Amino acid sequence: MINGPPALVEMLDRNKKHVETYKAPPHLMDVAPKIRDSGNGVMILTCSDPRVNVFEIFGLDSVLRAAVIRNAGGRAADALRSVAILQHIARPGAIVVMHHTDCGGTHIEPGDVKKDLVELSPSDKTTIENTQFGKKMNSIKESVREDIALLKTSPLVDHSTQLDEFKQGEGSNFTFPLDAFWLWRFHVRSELFSYSEHSALNLSRQLVSFLLYSTLTIKPKLPYFANFGAIHINELKAVFYSIAMFDDIVAEGYSLAQHDWRLTALVASVVPFALTYIITSLLAFLAANNKSHSRSPPIAPYAVPFFGNLFAFLFDNERFVRNALGRYARDIPVQFRLANRKLTLISGTSNVLAMFRSSRYLDANEIIIIAVDNAFGGASVGRECYALDNTGSRKEPLPGSRPLKMSDRIWYLQHKTTHANLVGPPLVEIAERFVKCLGEELDHAIPPSQTDWVDVPDFYGLIQSTMFAASTNAIYGPHLIRLNPDLNKDFWEYDHHIPSLFKLVPRLFAPKAYAVRDRLVASVKKWHAHAAEHVDVKDPALEGVAWEEYYGSKMMRDRVVDYIGVANMTDDLRACLDVGLIWAANANIVPTVGWCLIDILTRPALAATARAEISTLSPGEINMQALLASPILQSIYAEELRLRNAIFIQRTPIIDTFKMGPWKFPKGDLIIVSSWQEARNRETWNQRGRDGEEHDVEEFWAERFLVYKDDPLSGPRLVDAAKVKKGGEEVEKVADGEASPPKFAPEKVAGQFIPYGGSENICPGRFYAKQEAMAGMALFLAKFEIELQLEPGRVLEPNKAQFGFGVMGPKGAIKARMRRRKVE
Ligand code: HEM
């Protein structure tokens, strides 16, 4: 039995047990040459502090070994002799210098040690005074660096040895980021070289630590790299470390793959995606922070080579676009790679306005061709008529476009005809007919004789069918629906399938979409044939006739005349093009009116205001001009267009050198703007009401578009209150006592509020659409009392399956009960 501290007794006890199972390791002189030759030996220089458990920290065991040199503080000056001897024996490839927090060396002054010694042995004072104890360690980082420098310069140390710094932190954590990297790096290296078990876990851990490292260290520093002139050494280091980490991941993956075929498969399938994502992320950060005067937009990072962002975009483009815009500053365009196509999303008022102003260099036909090809079915029945026309929609053909005869310039002719016939007297004709037809449709749905409540299982469905019938009769005359009694039902089924058709889902996977599209085309073709039997569109007697029953509006006759001259035009293709017009004329305005009514009816105070406004402005017959001037009705309509419209406005540069600000946009690559995102930009939209209440951009607020003279902060645009105070914002003056009627002011949000697109391609139907909205609200509210019967807790939401294709209707049927109003 040995006397001594209990710990020593315990140690000896444990040693006894150890001896029982102990197997002698290979002889030093046998192992040493192998270690020398491989260069894989590792030497760890660390503190004697028992809290630093080197074996545990690095997982050292009988397989993974390292030579450990310990002294107070783990200082190189004391260790040189041991380093030299161990180097002589095994010539290790690396020396790790590991200091730790809360080290005795950071608390104790060497002078105090000397005092202590002198007290113990006063006779040796001189020797003690002349002995070197170094100086107190200030920071561990500094002490590690000092010792590395010493080892590097010492003649006793082989200069080809890799020297690595490493700091052990509190509670065995490791300081981040530099040291975590080293920890990680050691882990990989030692495992690789000691042939320990390779596991998928290790690989995942390395990937995670790499991603963490690059996110925390590289990302904030990237602005430096973008300005190549200002590269800072630490940033450079960070990139090298990342590359080294990456290299280790590849090496680890490779080793794993050799050990297990399942892992081979796993690694082979994961690595290309991880690699692609990492590389595209780095490139995107560099591009976003580039400061040159002529630069390309960053490409949104993606993981799938070749397909790029295609699947994310097709799967949930709302989220995808939101994320893409959230990634960078608002005014930085973001490019998406959709298989072999590139498109660039631009955002922010100044970019959007710049795009509209640059219409001379931009063409909108590409999307129209895509629509005609797929959504309207043109590709199979006469593509050569329209796909070759790249002359644009202006009278002057686009520079460099094909030399087509004027009569073959289908897009210009179509553009001219719709724009000319949806303003002025032709518009008055259509709008008046619409009002009349809608009144009749509503009277047919719930006749004036019906005084009791009527249950309506699908209130929005009623709006769809009555509005569609009214508008179709107004524009195309009564025979289109008369000849095709299912047209109304077919149209809404077709509208439901529009996303599949636009997204090119093959017929095999969307048979209903194609079937209903083809039915619509056949219906329109039948109507064309019937009209042609009764009317000669070139009959001079029709000159100046705004409407006749067979073709309906003059716009439809003019289209027939336009198409007659187009080479190779077919009856099928004409029908497809008219299906397109029917879609454009209904798909947006009908859901907009639906939302106007729903949001009015679910707010009793607003319903009372709207009804009062309608009965004052338009008592009895519809007074369109008065309704069109109503600030509150216009504001409600505009708010719905802001809130429910998700359309991508698209343009293609027609010149090689097209730029907006510093950003370059290659010829032929699509540029898109998301009306949805622009309408939700909290930096530019006003969310504060006159009452001080907040009206979030995601919420309906009937008065958002109203400006009050006496409230400079009112109106749709966010105004800087401080600037108003200083007089920096333009404010309309109000005379004392002057009443302050609100003004509808959409112009305040030009470039932010773009439901109809812009420039010369702006929607030609916008004036008619507004009249439909006024008449829709007025007739429904004047004729009926309407009670929506929403299930408790139900929040009405737009049907996001239609996201990207215009105004989205409400999701799910809405039950209601309706009865005729006594005073209409
Ligand atoms: C709320 C209602 C409507 C909305 C939100 C809307 C929106 C749009 C948008 C965003 C465009 C593309 C503009 C651009 O590229 O800059 C467009 C084009 C078009 N819209 Fe509308 N629209 C509506 C109603 C109508 C109506 C009622 C008609 C017809 C009667 C119509 C006919 C067209 C046509 C023919 C085009 C293509 C114009 C061309 O290529 O020149 N739209 N619409």
Side-chain angles (χ1 to χ4, degrees):
M1 182 78 181
I2 282 197
N3 281 331
L8 174 62
V9 176
E10 168 72 8
M11 283 178 201
L12 292 172
D13 226 29
R14 291 190 187 185
N15 175 255
K16 266 192 207 138
K17 287 192 192 112
H18 170 68
V19 167
E20 278 165 27
T21 54
Y22 178 72
K23 278 201 192 86
H27 197 275
L28 177 66
M29 287 307 149
D30 290 338
V31 178
K34 287 184 192 152
I35 302 176
R36 284 172 74 105
D37 292 344
S38 72
N40 290 334
V42 176
M43 203 189 280
I44 300 170
L45 168 59
T46 190
C47 182
S48 317
D49 190 320
R51 293 170 303 166
V52 179
N53 188 339
V54 187
F55 292 86
E56 208 172 79
I57 292 168
F58 292 112
L60 302 181
D61 58 21
S62 58
V63 180
L64 177 62
R65 298 161 194 260
V68 182
I69 305 169
R70 309 189 74 142
N71 60 40
R75 303 309 310 253
D78 288 2
L80 280 175
R81 188 193 69 88
S82 307
V83 170
I85 292 172
L86 291 172
Q87 185 182 269
H88 170 73
I89 298 172
R91 192 133 357 265
I95 302 175
V96 179
V97 177
M98 181 174 74
H99 293 176
H100 69 107
T101 47
D102 192 32
C103 179
T106 61
H107 300 306
I108 284 147
E109 289 291 350
D112 293 341
V113 179
K114 287 182 186 174
K115 254 195 232 156
D116 204 359
L117 287 170
V118 172
E119 261 174 45
L120 288 173
S121 179
S123 56
D124 294 318
K125 187 170 182 220
T126 318
T127 321
I128 293 168
E129 291 291 1
N130 291 336
T131 307
Q132 290 299 318
F133 287 98
K135 53 184 181 18
K136 185 178 168 187
M137 289 156 71
N138 287 328
S139 101
I140 301 168
K141 199 167 185 174
E142 209 177 274
S143 64
V144 170
R145 300 267 151 97
E146 254 174 43
D147 282 3
I148 296 241
L150 183 79
L151 291 169
K152 270 192 185 151
T153 47
S154 167
L156 307 183
V157 180
D158 177 356
H159 294 313
S160 67
T161 315
Q162 178 188 334
L163 284 160
D164 295 311
E165 48 188 284
F166 178 33
K167 173 183 134 190
Q168 189 201 0
E170 310 285 353
S172 253
N173 287 326
F174 300 97
T175 53
F176 206 73
L178 211 61
D179 309 272
F181 160 69
W182 288 115
L183 163 70
W184 175 88
R185 190 169 165 78
F186 275 113
H187 203 99
V188 179
R189 288 271 182 233
S190 40
E191 275 185 355
L192 277 179
F193 296 130
S194 64
Y195 307 105
S196 68
E197 280 268 303
H198 297 283
S199 70
L201 190 71
N202 276 344
L203 184 63
S204 333
R205 197 190 52 218
Q206 287 161 24
L207 274 169
V208 169
S209 88
F210 171 72
L211 288 176
L212 260 175
Y213 179 77
S214 32
T215 318
L216 295 179
T217 312
I218 309 246
K219 184 176 159 183
K221 291 175 177 167
L222 275 166
Y224 290 100
F225 292 107
N227 286 331
F228 287 108
I231 293 180
H232 189 278
I233 193 68
N234 278 338
E235 279 75 55
L236 201 58
K237 253 194 202 165
V239 166
F240 287 141
Y241 291 163
S242 270
I243 294 169
M245 281 180 164
F246 195 71
D247 156 67
D248 283 344
I249 289 173
V250 173
E252 178 75 357
Y254 180 69
S255 306
L256 274 170
Q258 287 180 327
H259 281 68
D260 185 332
W261 70 265
R262 284 164 306 188
L263 288 171
T264 311
L266 182 80
V267 169
S269 50
V270 167
V271 163
F273 298 109
L275 247 173
T276 310
Y277 188 75
I278 289 160
I279 291 169
T280 53
S281 300
L282 280 171
L283 290 175
F285 281 123
L286 288 174
N289 292 290
N290 187 344
K291 297 280 179 281
S292 96
H293 295 299
S294 186
R295 49 194 195 253
S296 298
I299 299 177
Y302 55 87
V304 189
F306 178 71
F307 290 102
N309 313 105
L310 182 70
F311 300 117
F313 187 75
L314 289 185
F315 183 66
D316 184 350
N317 50 28
E318 195 248 310
R319 196 163 61 161
F320 180 72
V321 166
R322 184 169 12 104
N323 290 346
L325 288 178
R327 208 182 283 264
Y328 312 109
R330 193 85 193 187
D331 57 348
I332 296 183
V334 192
Q335 207 173 85
F336 306 144
R337 182 152 292 176
L338 309 181
N340 58 343
R341 302 252 14 197
K342 273 192 252 150
L343 59 88
T344 308
L345 173 73
I346 63 160
S347 177
T349 310
S350 54
N351 278 339
V352 172
L353 289 175
M355 183 183 89
F356 288 146
R357 272 191 227 111
S358 312
S359 68
R360 264 183 336 133
Y361 307 113
L362 297 167
D363 179 20
N365 274 7
E366 175 149 354
I367 180 62
I368 303 179
I369 293 182
I370 294 174
V372 178
D373 274 354
N374 308 297
F376 312 147
S380 49
V381 293
R383 199 169 190 273
E384 60 276 20
C385 289
Y386 59 87
L388 288 178
D389 180 6
N390 60 353
T391 59
S393 44
R394 286 167 181 256
K395 191 166 185 191
E396 284 307 310
L398 291 172
S401 60
R402 289 192 185 88
L404 295 186
K405 283 192 291 183
M406 185 58 102
S407 59
D408 284 339
R409 293 188 56 207
I410 187 168
W411 301 126
Y412 161 67
L413 295 170
Q414 189 166 291
H415 178 86
K416 176 179 66 79
T417 295
T418 42
H419 279 263
N421 282 291
L422 288 168
V423 289
L427 169 62
V428 173
E429 180 74 33
I430 296 176
E432 280 178 358
R433 285 182 185 274
F434 171 79
V435 172
K436 185 166 169 291
C437 291
L438 184 61
E440 287 166 6
E441 287 293 323
L442 293 178
D443 288 348
H444 180 70
I446 301 175
S449 56
Q450 174 76 46
T451 47
D452 287 342
W453 285 104
V454 176
D455 285 329
V456 178
D458 181 0
F459 177 61
Y460 177 58
L462 178 72
I463 298 170
Q464 285 180 304
S465 62
T466 50
M467 292 265 309
F468 177 83
S471 186
T472 304
N473 284 331
I475 296 178
Y476 311 89
H479 295 292
L480 177 57
I481 292 183
R482 188 187 59 75
L483 291 166
N484 304 286
D486 284 338
L487 191 85
N488 203 323
K489 188 172 82 35
D490 280 350
F491 175 79
W492 292 111
E493 189 186 333
Y494 167 73
D495 184 51
H496 169 79
H497 288 296
I498 269 290
S500 307
L501 294 169
F502 265 98
K503 289 178 183 175
L504 311 187
V505 177
R507 192 182 276 263
L508 183 68
F509 300 112
K512 284 187 182 162
Y514 287 88
V516 72
R517 182 195 73 185
D518 296 347
R519 276 206 305 280
L520 273 187
V521 173
S523 301
V524 172
K525 203 172 150 191
K526 189 170 169 188
W527 168 70
H528 279 164
H530 178 263
E533 272 173 28
H534 291 84
V535 174
D536 172 5
V537 285
K538 292 197 166 161
D539 184 349
L542 287 172
E543 184 89 13
V545 174
W547 200 92
E548 46 72 32
E549 66 174 296
Y550 294 102
Y551 280 107
S553 64
K554 182 171 160 299
M555 174 165 72
M556 300 317 294
R557 274 198 331 266
D558 285 356
R559 276 164 79 89
V560 177
V561 176
D562 290 344
Y563 295 149
I564 288 174
V566 178
N568 303 319
M569 176 56 78
T570 64
D571 289 349
D572 286 295
L573 182 60
R574 271 199 316 125
C576 294
L577 294 168
D578 277 357
V579 165
L581 183 61
I582 296 174
W583 182 65
N586 290 282
N588 293 307
I589 186 57
V590 176
T592 310
V593 172
W595 281 113
C596 289
L597 289 169
I598 290 166
D599 279 321
I600 290 172
L601 292 167
T602 45
R603 292 165 177 78
L606 181 61
T609 307
R611 282 207 163 102
E613 181 84 346
I614 289 162
S615 66
T616 312
L617 297 175
S618 183
E621 292 287 291
I622 290 288
N623 179 345
M624 187 55 83
Q625 291 316 312
L627 290 173
L628 283 173
S630 158
I632 184 68
L633 295 180
Q634 290 186 89
S635 181
I636 292 171
Y637 173 57
E639 178 67 346
E640 298 299 1
L641 284 178
R642 182 192 72 81
L643 199 55
R644 318 293 180 183
N645 190 2
I647 199 157
F648 292 116
I649 295 153
Q650 321 205 4
R651 299 288 186 269
T652 319
I654 54 163
I655 52 169
D656 288 321
T657 51
F658 182 67
K659 273 178 75 184
M660 284 199 298
W663 302 102
K664 296 188 288 184
F665 297 85
K667 181 178 172 182
D669 283 355
L670 273 181
I671 300 174
I672 58 169
V673 184
S674 163
S675 67
W676 177 268
Q677 300 298 338
E678 297 312 307
R680 280 163 172 69
N681 187 349
R682 290 190 170 81
E683 292 161 21
T684 50
W685 283 89
N686 180 22
Q687 302 182 88
R688 180 201 140 276
R690 273 160 79 75
D691 45 14
E693 255 175 54
E694 279 295 305
H695 298 280
D696 191 88
V697 286
E698 293 291 347
E699 284 164 18
F700 171 82
W701 175 27
E703 296 186 14
R704 195 178 303 266
F705 282 78
L706 299 185
V707 168
Y708 293 83
K709 267 192 187 178
D710 61 355
D711 182 359
L713 301 183
S714 65
R717 186 169 65 92
L718 180 63
V719 173
D720 186 343
K723 274 195 190 164
V724 171
K725 259 194 193 158
K726 283 192 197 149
E729 283 273 347
E730 242 178 68
V731 180
E732 280 190 59
K733 299 275 177 301
V734 201
D736 276 350
E738 187 189 333
S740 169
K743 212 175 98 193
F744 173 61
E747 69 283 354
K748 301 257 175 208
V749 276
Q752 291 162 243
F753 179 57
I754 45 169
Y756 299 119
S759 66
E760 72 201 359
N761 293 97
I762 194 165
C763 170
R766 63 196 183 285
F767 304 117
Y768 172 53
K770 191 169 174 184
Q771 300 201 21
E772 285 183 275
M774 294 302 142
M777 283 190 273
L779 286 172
F780 267 89
L781 294 176
K783 282 181 184 288
F784 306 108
E785 279 174 44
I786 307 166
E787 282 178 15
L788 301 188
Q789 296 174 324
L790 297 178
E791 298 78 1
R794 178 170 173 196
V795 179
L796 292 171
E797 284 174 357
N799 175 10
K800 292 262 182 86
Q802 306 288 107
F803 191 93
F805 300 98
V807 182
M808 296 166 285
K811 193 173 170 190
I814 300 166
K815 281 193 199 143
R817 58 180 202 148
M818 293 170 65
R819 75 171 170 200
R820 301 293 303 203
R821 286 185 84 206
K822 298 227 164 48
V823 191
E824 287 175 11

